[in-house]
Amino acid sequence: MKKNVVLFSKIPADQQARLEEAFNLAVFNRGSNSDLANYAKVLANAEGMIGNIPTKVNDEFLSQTPKLKAAATISVGFDNYDLIALKKHGIRLMNTPKVLTESTADLIFTLLMATARRTVELSNLIHNGKWKKGITPEYYGTDIYGKTIGILGMGRIGQAIAKRAYCGFDMNIIYYNRSAHTEIEQAYKAKRLELDNVLKQADFVVIILPLTKETTQLITKEKLTLMKPSAILINGARGKIVDQQALFEALKNKTIKAAGLDVFEVEPLPTDSPLLQLNNVLLSPHVGSATAETRYAMAKCAVDNIIAALKDEKPTDNWVNPEVG
Ligand code: DGY
């Protein structure tokens, strides 16, 4: 008999067809009837879940899904899942870590460059008919080539950013990470430093850490004061890593120069967010991996993961919690 699986995200038709062939598939429709309570019965019988579920998957949630064996995210981040609760309930969790590395690093570099060179602000100047003569110093940008980039988090994406910074822009690389990456230190002359020293020395601070208990609100008001007034902060990880109100104040008071943000404490960013009052912040709507090719590859990877997990195949390197077995 086919196993019951719930799909929580819109995925390409051919990948959904694979799920339909392998499982008895229920599709959670975000557009209508999107209240999870309506799905309680479906979830109570589900052996698998795939996609980005719109709630915390914790002990309380899992006590209502007694048949669940495996969950597959369509993301690298899995901060929505309580790993202790998953272990307690014996549930395998898989993510899609490799396929989105390069496009996420591209987006982070896009934000870095566009923030430094004030691309959107200057484009708006033309759109608004305000390009009347040569650009005056108040619109000058900041050089990138040869500057110091401080990367917070030297996982796969951090390494892809380091490669772009070193090979493309001759940047000096410093980084903060729990463990050292000697191969990256050798390849890109990167130096591992304490967090405070990275913040003090970097011209560009790029956050690409996972959201954990330790990284939540890691960048406080005090940490922001360590940054140079000429420095630019880029966050491509999770909004909750930064105290967003403190960041707003730092940008408003110009104690740092600018920020490029793809992630926010609350998403979508509320339309009354004070960040929207500022010119020195560039915003994108959580689109690190949002290219057609990468989103396709992520969906396919997640479908492969859930099929393998429910066939009881051995954990792969996409398995977040192989200790569950
Ligand atoms: C990821 O893959 O974690 C992206 O941030 C989307 O959530």
Side-chain angles (χ1 to χ4, degrees):
M1 220 173 68
K2 282 183 176 179
K3 294 184 168 149
N4 296 321
V5 166
V6 188
L7 168 65
F8 283 98
S9 298
K10 192 155 177 51
I11 61 172
D14 62 334
Q15 296 308 316
Q16 183 162 331
R18 289 179 65 206
L19 291 175
E20 279 158 358
E21 197 184 313
F23 306 115
N24 202 357
L25 190 71
V27 182
F28 177 82
N29 185 344
R30 276 168 205 269
S32 62
N33 195 20
S34 61
D35 184 354
L36 255 192
N38 295 327
Y39 285 76
K41 233 171 146 182
V42 177
L43 284 167
N45 282 310
E47 283 135 285
M49 303 193 306
I50 172 168
N52 301 326
I53 180 161
T55 187
K56 285 256 171 240
V57 179
N58 51 21
D59 196 33
E60 190 190 338
F61 177 91
L62 293 173
S63 59
Q64 292 163 55
T65 56
K67 299 197 177 154
L68 199 66
K69 295 273 171 297
T73 70
I74 309 183
S75 62
V76 61
F78 48 85
D79 38 281
N80 216 19
Y81 287 82
D82 176 341
L83 293 184
I84 295 171
L86 288 182
K87 189 166 178 199
K88 176 177 160 196
H89 293 266
I91 292 158
R92 294 170 168 181
L93 176 67
M94 287 81 47
N95 64 345
T96 61
K98 291 183 190 159
V99 290
L100 49 70
T101 302
E102 300 303 337
S103 47
T104 306
D106 282 350
L107 188 272
I108 288 173
F109 236 88
T110 303
L111 279 181
L112 186 154
M113 294 181 72
T115 308
R117 298 306 301 266
R118 303 171 65 172
T119 315
V120 173
E121 218 182 325
L122 293 170
S123 172
N124 286 342
L125 190 84
I126 303 179
H127 276 288
N128 297 333
K130 292 190 179 152
W131 186 25
K132 300 286 186 212
K133 49 185 167 70
I135 286 302
T136 47
E138 67 193 286
Y139 286 111
Y140 289 171
T142 300
D143 274 337
I144 302 162
Y145 190 87
K147 291 280 185 72
T148 296
I149 184 170
I151 304 176
L152 311 188
M154 199 43 93
R156 284 194 184 93
I157 303 172
Q159 294 173 27
I161 293 165
K163 184 176 182 182
R164 283 158 179 73
Y166 182 76
C167 301
F169 295 85
D170 215 3
M171 293 177 96
N172 172 33
I173 298 170
I174 52 181
Y175 73 101
Y176 164 74
N177 200 63
R178 255 192 327 204
S179 49
H181 280 275
T182 40
E183 67 295 353
I184 298 299
E185 292 177 13
Q186 279 160 12
Y188 309 134
K189 299 200 189 116
K191 246 199 249 145
R192 179 166 162 252
L193 300 177
E194 292 300 328
L195 176 60
D196 288 5
N197 288 332
V198 174
L199 295 171
K200 281 181 200 162
Q201 293 176 31
D203 298 304
F204 296 92
V205 173
V206 173
I207 305 173
I208 193 65
L209 289 158
L211 180 68
T212 62
K213 248 201 294 179
E214 292 73 34
T215 64
T216 299
Q217 300 282 296
L218 179 72
I219 305 301
T220 55
K221 186 174 175 171
E222 290 67 39
K223 296 289 180 204
L224 289 167
T225 61
L226 299 175
M227 290 175 63
K228 300 179 190 178
S230 56
I232 290 177
L233 179 83
I234 305 295
N235 190 0
R238 287 293 182 266
K240 292 192 172 99
I241 295 175
V242 178
D243 177 338
Q244 197 168 287
Q245 179 60 28
L247 176 61
F248 164 74
E249 278 154 27
L251 290 165
K252 188 166 177 235
N253 300 329
K254 306 257 167 66
T255 61
I256 67 170
K257 189 173 179 77
L261 307 175
D262 188 44
V263 290
F264 306 91
E265 276 178 357
V266 176
E267 295 179 3
L269 184 69
T271 51
D272 61 354
S273 167
L275 285 175
L276 297 170
Q277 301 161 13
L278 302 173
N279 284 335
N280 56 345
V281 62
L282 187 70
L283 309 169
S284 60
H286 202 145
V287 287
S289 61
T291 65
E293 300 92 327
T294 297
R295 283 290 165 90
Y296 183 88
M298 289 164 71
K300 179 174 180 306
C301 175
V303 171
D304 292 345
N305 288 341
I306 196 78
I307 290 176
L310 289 178
K311 266 201 210 145
D312 224 19
E313 285 176 1
K314 280 234 158 71
T316 69
D317 56 0
N318 294 328
W319 228 282
V320 172
N321 58 352
E323 69 277 5
V324 166

